[in-house]
Amino acid sequence: MDTSVTRGAQRPSALVEWLLVVAMAVVARLPGIFLGPALLGLAVLGLAVAGGDPDALVVPLTYAAIVVLGTAADRDRGSLPGRAVRPADEPELAALVGDVAERLGFRAPLLVRVVPEPEAALGPVKLSGVRGCVLLLGLPLLRSMTAAQLAAVVAHELAHEQHVRDRRTVWLRRTRDALAERLGGRFRPPAALAVPLLRASRPSLWEAEFAADADSARIAGAAATGRALELAGLLGAVFDGLGERWLSELEEDGARPQDFYDAFGAALRDPFVLSRGARAAAEEDAFDPYVAAGRPPTAQRVAALPDGGGAGPYGTEPVVLRDAQAIEQWCVEELAGDTGSGRGAGRAGDGVGLRPVRILDPDTGPLLRPDDGAVELLLGATRRKSPVPALSDALDAVADGSWPDLASGIEPGLRRVPAPERRYASRAVLARAAGETLAAVLRDSGWTYAGRWSSTVLAAPDGTAVDLHEMLVAALDSGDPAPVRALVRSAGKERTEA
């Protein structure tokens, strides 16, 4: 990813940014056949306003373009997301948020709501006709972060709002988000036009992130801020890679997890889960083929934090939640779809009929269910009848560089994935299929599960644990399948000796 934007980058002029707003709105919404005349019109517009007041001439046209093209940000006019947290019910959390707001000089009325996912966000809301803000805090953050780290997260969200409240930055962010979202859809605008606009509009938004991080470090300390940034990425990656799978597999069995967050916390103590999550978080940070990321990479943000900074009156333990059980139950029901709304509604309808189970109970089976379908797909793509020859063919493809073609044979839909994203997606498909196949071969040779969080983390007869999926990812990245071949040979030797 292009990381040329650093702390202190100069913001483009008002004229340039307003023109970027209009250009992104046009490129995001008009079919390719109209882009030539539209961009010609933009050039004429630029000449017309070059000698005038940008805010006087460009702003009205910008508003008109956004209204006509429909790129204004959609606002949920229904119920607010999350579960309300009243200060009287959660005084410790309310005190932390209030202290951070006071130290930042944040004066707007503020609601706090808990959401099930590991995220934090601040958005506008009307309170009895008065404009205020709603702060969303994910339950995984509340459970996993120290009070100081949580204060850093809250400080960043509140400070960020102060840095991007001017109307030019608001529209710049909205139209940029709309264009980036279109690039992920089926009917995409031409990347050759979208990417330069996204790159040109990035400095202002990234500079706002750096500034909010600096304010966060001033409030909570640089160490707590840096760790909060890293932990947020890790929690998100593990939630997406592991938590989502639990929910999906349990739903297939007609169940929902009562102890989702206890299990999530237990998984985060597993070194293999942490290692896989850290890699996934770093790759998500780095993978930005369209220069669409609204935030700098985490490592760059941590490196830019100012030295020192006060730690504030915050502790090294998580904030106490007085009504933790009720909050967790609400979040689990939301994830499983029992409320009939939000994220879970698309997963399990209204959730009626899902029996409650505990993930941490030994007899909860889906967590280590081998993905036999992935093995069958590799057998079909290699036209082999047994796993060892199919795996050998896959490793040959890794060695000679033809593995993207094999991945397309496993998942034909990869051919429709845009070129900048295809290699990354192909790697995921082949690593999954080859990893499950390798695991099947090793289990037949006496290897056993090394934990209960992944069917591809196995223990050898001597007790040595190996993450086979990560081994395959490393082989695909390096083009060297030798370590995997050695493992297959050792498995064959073990079978012979047995």
Side-chain angles (χ1 to χ4, degrees), residues 169-306:
T169 305
V170 168
W171 285 116
L172 189 73
R173 183 172 56 178
R174 287 179 180 175
T175 51
R176 194 177 194 278
D177 288 347
L179 179 55
E181 184 177 357
R182 284 295 310 281
L183 285 170
R186 183 176 180 183
F187 300 103
R188 304 175 181 88
L193 292 173
V195 169
L197 294 172
L198 291 170
R199 180 179 289 109
S201 60
R202 188 172 65 177
S204 303
L205 302 183
W206 278 29
E207 180 60 22
E209 295 291 340
F210 286 126
D213 287 341
D215 286 338
S216 181
R218 175 172 58 83
I219 297 298
T225 300
R227 181 54 186 155
L229 289 170
E230 295 166 347
L231 191 53
L234 176 65
L235 292 172
V238 175
F239 190 93
D240 290 342
L242 197 60
E244 290 283 1
R245 181 169 62 81
W246 296 346
L247 296 165
S248 176
E249 292 185 359
L250 288 172
E251 183 200 336
E252 288 178 5
D253 284 2
R256 61 179 175 85
Q258 285 181 302
D259 60 341
F260 179 89
Y261 293 100
D262 288 339
F264 189 73
L268 288 170
R269 295 189 288 272
D270 184 292
F272 290 103
V273 171
L274 290 176
S275 176
R276 193 180 290 195
R279 177 191 59 78
E283 288 188 349
E284 184 175 355
D285 247 1
F287 185 70
D288 187 17
Y290 301 115
V291 202
R295 293 179 174 177
T298 298
Q300 193 171 336
R301 293 173 67 183
V302 172
L305 291 173

Side-chain angles (χ1 to χ4, degrees), residues 81-82 115-119 236 239-241 243-245 247 251 260-261 330-349:
V115 293
E117 301 87 353
E119 63 178 85
F239 190 93
D240 290 342
E244 290 283 1
R245 181 169 62 81
L247 296 165
E251 183 200 336
F260 179 89
Y261 293 100
W330 184 91
C331 287
V332 168
E333 291 173 350
E334 184 75 1
L335 287 173
D338 282 13
T339 61
S341 62
R343 185 189 186 108
R347 188 199 316 280

